[in-house]
Amino acid sequence: WLRKANEDVDTLNATNEMVQGVIRRRESEGIVATAVAEVGGRVREELRLGTVCTTTLPSKVKHTIKAHESDVNTVCFNIAGTMLATGSNDNTIKLWDSQTGSHKATLHGSMQAVMRVQISVDDVYVLGASNDKTTRLWTVEQGRVRHTLTGHTGKIYAGVFGPDSKKVITGSHDRTIKLWDLTKGYCTKTVFCFSSCNTLTINPDNLICSGHGAIRGRTCTGSFTHTCRPVDARLRFWAMRTGEQVEEMSTVHGQQITSVSFSSGREL
């Protein structure tokens, strides 16, 4: 067990070194810029070394919420930590006051389970990626659908806003990643990503990381099956501006990758 734990640590360290190397190369090309965002009346400056923050580990449960009538697949805080969004197999997204645990709104429109939610940096929109092959954006203030993003041919497992909340990136079981421009209202780029895209994240430098799962194959008799094999289990890194793949890691996990997240923009 200890040997396996040490191997996992070595793999994680190698992955982080690779990510930092990609960012350093992008910095040397003059791509990375300082981003400034005003959030809740405070100005947060995303420097090249990332945002520095402190936190305290919780010691007890603050709220227990009976949120949905079915499984909760995804949760997300807004950037200020004052609002929580949850998405469920009951086809709804719900918004909550994270300080009191009180219910704020229920967002309807998805025809199947909601697999991913995210709140925009300015608290204007809530993104919901669904198994109905559609990503929707609701307005926080009115709770109405503002954008409906269609084009994927498989279940959508991943969806994130770009750093400026004017773009959206989605990943699907159809083995594609799509980039959407909200000001234009349509997909600007589709990238074939070789296998099911289970999860996405993006750092302030517009570096996208995708985690992958299974590849559909054939049974030993030659008949087509929906049994997903072999497992891809790769991390892939993409330049948001061009959609080009800039790096790939193939030895991170032995099974499907179901979640990825950047910490302070540089570590994964």
Side-chain angles (χ1 to χ4, degrees), residues 13-75:
N13 288 336
T15 302
N16 282 329
E17 289 178 4
M18 185 276 296
V19 173
Q20 293 176 22
V22 171
I23 295 174
R24 284 194 295 269
R25 290 200 301 272
R26 290 168 61 79
E27 284 179 340
S28 66
E29 296 167 359
I31 296 175
V32 179
T34 300
V36 178
E38 184 173 344
V39 180
R42 294 174 300 176
V43 175
R44 186 191 68 172
E45 188 170 4
E46 301 277 4
L47 300 177
R48 295 175 186 269
L49 296 179
T51 302
V52 177
C53 61
T54 60
T55 186
T56 303
L57 292 176
S59 59
K60 61 181 180 179
V61 175
K62 185 174 183 180
H63 300 294
T64 300
I65 302 172
K66 177 64 171 69
H68 292 270
E69 298 302 318
S70 188
D71 295 354
V72 178
N73 298 321
T74 174
V75 297

Side-chain angles (χ1 to χ4, degrees), residues 91-93 107-112 114 130 132 134 136 138 145:
N91 305 350
T92 68
I93 294 172
L107 308 180
H108 298 278
S110 292
M111 305 303 294
Q112 294 185 30
V114 178
S130 173
D132 65 6
T134 303
R136 296 172 179 85
W138 290 260
V145 175

Side-chain angles (χ1 to χ4, degrees), residues 124-145:
V124 173
Y125 294 120
V126 177
L127 175 153
S130 173
N131 279 351
D132 65 6
K133 307 174 186 178
T134 303
T135 299
R136 296 172 179 85
L137 279 78
W138 290 260
T139 58
V140 171
E141 184 175 353
Q142 297 178 328
R144 297 178 181 176
V145 175

Side-chain angles (χ1 to χ4, degrees), residues 214-259:
I215 308 171
R216 288 186 177 182
R218 293 181 178 272
T219 63
C220 58
T221 61
S223 59
F224 188 82
T225 178
H226 286 286
T227 302
C228 291
R229 58 179 182 85
V231 174
D232 184 2
R234 284 175 166 83
L235 286 174
R236 295 187 172 92
F237 299 84
W238 314 83
M240 181 174 172
R241 188 178 64 170
T242 63
E244 295 180 355
Q245 181 176 327
V246 296
E247 194 62 75
E248 178 179 297
M249 290 289 293
S250 59
T251 58
V252 181
H253 293 279
Q255 293 295 324
Q256 298 190 45
I257 298 173
T258 57
S259 182

